Amino acid sequence: MTQETTAVSLTACAKTFADGTRALEPLDLEVEGGETVVLLGPSGCGKTTLLRIIAGLESPDRGGRVHFNDEDVTPRPIERRNVGMVFQSYALFPNMTVAGNVAYGLRVRKDPKAKVEARVDEMLAMMHIDDLADRRVDQLSGGQRQRVALARAIAVRPRVLLLDEPLTALDALLRDRLRVEIDSLLRALGITSIYVTHDQAEAMALGDRIVVMSQGRIAQIGTPRDIYHRPANDFVADFVGTVNRLPAAVLAGPDLPPGPEALFRPEDAELVGEGEGHFSARVTSAFFLGDRTRLILDAGGGAAPVVVESTLHDPVATGATVAVRVRPGGFMRLDGAGGRP
Amino acid sequence: MERRDYPKLFVLILPAALVFAAFFILPMARLAVVGGTGEDGLAAYASMVTTPRHFESMVATVLLSVGVTAAALAIATVAGLFLVRNRFPGRETLVSLLTFPLAFPGVVIGFMVILLAGRQGLVGTVTQALGADKLVFAYSMSGLFVGYLYFSIPRVILTIMAAAEKLDPALEEAARSLGASSWRVVRDVILPALKPGLIASGAICFATSMGAFGTAFTLATNIDVLPMTIYTEFTLNANIAGAASLSIILGLVTWAALFIARSLSGSTVAASG
């Protein structure tokens, strides 16, 4: 499917609700045409508010502007923005069949009947739900419902596809399967997509870029690799993946980072022979996970517990003392100013 | 259920069965028999069609009830949706005031209609002060309409509010994202979601308006609604068979309306009254 893609651009978009709550500090965001951007953050960080501003369900505080390509769409309500939306609660119309739901946007546009039917068939086939066309939506499973919701949103050829925690209501297995499908779908369509989630694995898998948000602000924008390996600040380092923090005082050896504290990911640490590590620590608990063992260590000096993953076959006893080395390049540098946001 | 539990079960169900028999089956059966044993025999049941006064009374009552139901549904739907979607100071008080009429008997409502639109009523005074003819409509079908509307609206509003609160806001947002105008959202999303509640409370409105007597009796004795006709046949004309047959027919019509509503909405209509 070839169609002109739409870039989304927000300038100085803030949101203060009627009761005075500040959901969003003024922020700028550029999303390129055809790109998939994931808004990631804990609940209450403002990611859904940001999505709703892009959708046209909320308007930004005075001064904020939303552009689709060069067009200022700020004053336009959602029904005149031509966006597709997918909700956590599926939001399928219970009084219509599956086909009726998918056809709805086309019927609102008064497309000719034959054209509507052809497009609905195409969408149902694309989402592998052709055999459900005449079902009522309350006869569908969660995964099937979300497929219908996706088909309904895409059927109208929206300029931007907005997904608000679409997989959150599904069980883990289904979530993984549908995530893969959504990923290939978005790539095949080449449509500009903005995806809200609090699940970092989803964000990593789907996003061309990830926007990490915290307390109504953007904490970092970057590719999944950037976000994971080069977090801009403490918040991003702690929110995405697991990170260990050790005071410089307990560390010794080569390649130590400057500063009072050293950060590294569990998978960048390995158990080594005595005297070869950056630090030694006492094992407080060990969890055998099959392919690896997760160790919780106490490095002394008042440091927070350290998580390390070992692939050694020999069991490690609780209470034993181990030496730990961080692989070269394993110590993380915070790219931004450093401090907590 | 074990067989030996049956005697215990019988004892438990006995009070309900007695009440049902004493206050429902026996009077209904008696009424049906009385209706058919007058001077005209079973022909009394045909009087609804053969006696013009009875027929007109029936038509007027049905028209009045349909009108009250339609108006109550329209007003209460708009007001109920507004009350669910807007939070403002005094909202709780307003909601509890709106349900106030449920506490009044028909006589009091009739009295209130007279105070509003009677010969000394507010509407008359105001229209006269404005230089127009004194507007008095309390002692007619219009007065009855206002009175019935007054006590029908609360029933519908409560049902609508309960249904509207359960409506997922995302449904409406999804429809809008697909390009639907406000009117289409109402038609395609909100009304279908409210439909069971509208049918249920509409049926209750209709049934209540068909059978209400106190208000009509307070307003005037010459308003030709069916309950008044039954009263007149019974007390003034001593036509007991006629009154009984009309009662049975009134009951059947109302019951049929409730039955149709129940099968349309697929839920328990009476439970929502």
Side-chain angles (χ1 to χ4, degrees), chain A residues 19-341:
Chain A
D19 62 357
T21 324
R22 188 76 181 246
L24 216 55
E25 302 294 333
L27 59 80
D28 297 345
L29 180 65
E30 301 285 338
V31 179
E32 287 168 29
E35 190 184 20
T36 301
V37 163
V38 177
L39 307 180
L40 173 69
S43 62
C45 72
K47 56 188 191 298
T48 296
T49 307
L50 187 58
L51 189 82
R52 291 172 67 86
I53 287 177
I54 298 169
L57 287 168
E58 306 278 358
S59 46
D61 291 351
R62 186 185 292 272
R65 312 299 316 169
V66 180
H67 284 83
F68 285 3
N69 288 338
D70 294 332
E71 210 178 326
D72 187 351
V73 296
T74 319
R76 283 203 217 162
I78 184 168
E79 55 267 33
R80 292 179 49 230
R81 285 196 189 183
N82 194 14
V83 293
M85 264 201 106
V86 178
F87 298 86
Q88 181 179 336
S89 64
Y90 319 120
L92 296 179
F93 306 128
N95 49 319
M96 300 176 199
T97 60
V98 167
N101 267 277
V102 178
Y104 185 75
L106 303 164
R107 283 198 283 116
V108 167
R109 283 164 173 72
K110 298 197 168 62
D111 281 1
K113 199 161 177 260
K115 209 174 136 191
V116 173
E117 280 171 11
R119 181 69 177 159
V120 169
D121 290 344
E122 186 192 343
M123 287 297 111
L124 295 178
M126 190 176 76
M127 297 308 302
H128 314 295
I129 44 174
D130 351 25
D131 49 334
L132 304 178
D134 299 322
R135 289 272 191 94
R136 280 178 24 192
V137 295
D138 56 11
Q139 299 170 321
L140 305 182
S141 70
Q144 290 169 332
R145 285 178 201 213
Q146 206 52 296
R147 275 167 218 263
V148 176
L150 275 162
R152 181 179 67 178
I154 295 166
V156 296
R157 297 191 167 85
R159 301 181 73 178
V160 183
L161 186 61
L162 305 167
L163 305 108
D164 188 1
E165 307 247 9
L167 303 181
T168 304
L170 301 175
D171 63 58
L173 197 66
L174 205 55
R175 193 155 59 217
D176 288 346
R177 251 193 11 226
L178 206 52
R179 186 174 72 196
V180 173
E181 270 185 58
I182 290 181
D183 184 50
S184 49
L185 182 71
L186 296 182
R187 278 175 216 297
L189 292 173
I191 185 176
T192 311
S193 319
I194 299 168
Y195 189 109
V196 163
T197 183
H198 65 272
D199 180 338
Q200 42 163 313
E202 236 168 84
M204 294 282 166
L206 285 170
D208 291 324
R209 284 192 301 154
I210 296 175
V211 177
V212 186
M213 297 188 64
S214 162
Q215 298 176 356
R217 291 189 177 83
I218 292 178
Q220 186 174 2
I221 304 181
T223 63
R225 283 174 191 284
D226 280 347
I227 299 281
Y228 191 80
H229 292 299
R230 298 169 49 167
N233 49 47
D234 284 329
F235 175 79
V236 178
D238 287 331
F239 187 72
V240 180
T242 308
V243 73
N244 293 307
R245 294 164 179 277
L246 279 179
V250 305
L251 296 166
D255 308 324
L256 284 180
E261 211 178 32
L263 278 63
F264 62 96
R265 302 274 186 205
E267 67 270 22
D268 287 330
E270 53 189 350
L271 299 191
V272 290
E274 209 182 319
E276 295 169 35
H278 284 110
F279 65 96
S280 56
R282 197 172 57 82
V283 178
T284 54
S285 30
F287 303 97
F288 180 60
L289 302 176
D291 55 340
R292 59 206 145 91
T293 306
R294 178 171 297 154
L295 304 174
I296 314 294
L297 308 177
D298 176 13
V306 172
V307 182
V308 162
E309 287 184 350
S310 162
T311 48
L312 299 177
H313 284 224
D314 296 331
V316 185
T318 307
T321 302
V322 292
V324 180
R325 183 170 65 198
V326 177
R327 291 194 186 88
F331 285 115
M332 292 157 72
R333 280 201 357 254
L334 299 183
D335 275 359
R340 291 168 192 277

Side-chain angles (χ1 to χ4, degrees), chain B residues 134-228:
Chain B
K134 187 173 185 176
L135 187 60
V136 174
F137 60 83
Y139 316 104
S140 64
M141 274 295 189
S142 310
L144 206 53
F145 179 82
V146 169
Y148 285 5
L149 194 56
Y150 178 72
F151 70 65
S152 293
I153 286 174
R155 296 170 200 277
V156 189
I157 275 197
L158 291 180
T159 317
I160 296 296
M161 285 179 69
E165 255 153 28
K166 277 188 277 177
L167 189 60
D168 180 4
L171 273 179
E172 203 174 311
E173 292 171 357
R176 290 179 61 200
S177 76
L178 293 164
S181 61
S182 309
W183 162 238
R184 282 213 70 145
V185 172
V186 170
R187 200 191 76 181
D188 298 336
V189 177
I190 297 177
L191 287 182
L194 299 183
K195 195 174 121 192
L198 287 172
I199 292 176
S201 52
I204 296 290
C205 270
F206 180 81
T208 321
S209 303
M210 285 293 290
F213 174 72
T215 313
F217 192 67
T218 314
L219 290 181
T221 40
N222 59 353
I223 296 181
D224 258 340
V225 288
L226 207 50
M228 288 292 285

Side-chain angles (χ1 to χ4, degrees), chain B residues 18 88 105 114 123 127 169 175 177 211 240:
Chain B
L18 282 177
F88 50 87
I114 289 172
V123 174
T127 47
S177 76
I240 294 174

Side-chain angles (χ1 to χ4, degrees), chain B residues 101-119:
Chain B
L102 289 176
F104 287 138
V107 180
V108 178
I109 289 167
F111 185 47
M112 286 161 78
V113 172
I114 289 172
L115 288 179
L116 180 76
R119 274 178 284 276

Side-chain angles (χ1 to χ4, degrees), chain B residues 202-260:
Chain B
I204 296 290
C205 270
F206 180 81
T208 321
S209 303
M210 285 293 290
F213 174 72
T215 313
F217 192 67
T218 314
L219 290 181
T221 40
N222 59 353
I223 296 181
D224 258 340
V225 288
L226 207 50
M228 288 292 285
T229 309
I230 294 172
Y231 178 78
T232 315
E233 288 295 342
F234 176 54
T235 54
L236 300 182
N237 304 345
N239 180 0
I240 294 174
S245 63
L246 286 180
S247 302
I248 290 285
I249 291 171
L250 173 65
L252 285 177
V253 168
T254 311
W255 176 80
L258 288 172
F259 178 79
I260 291 167

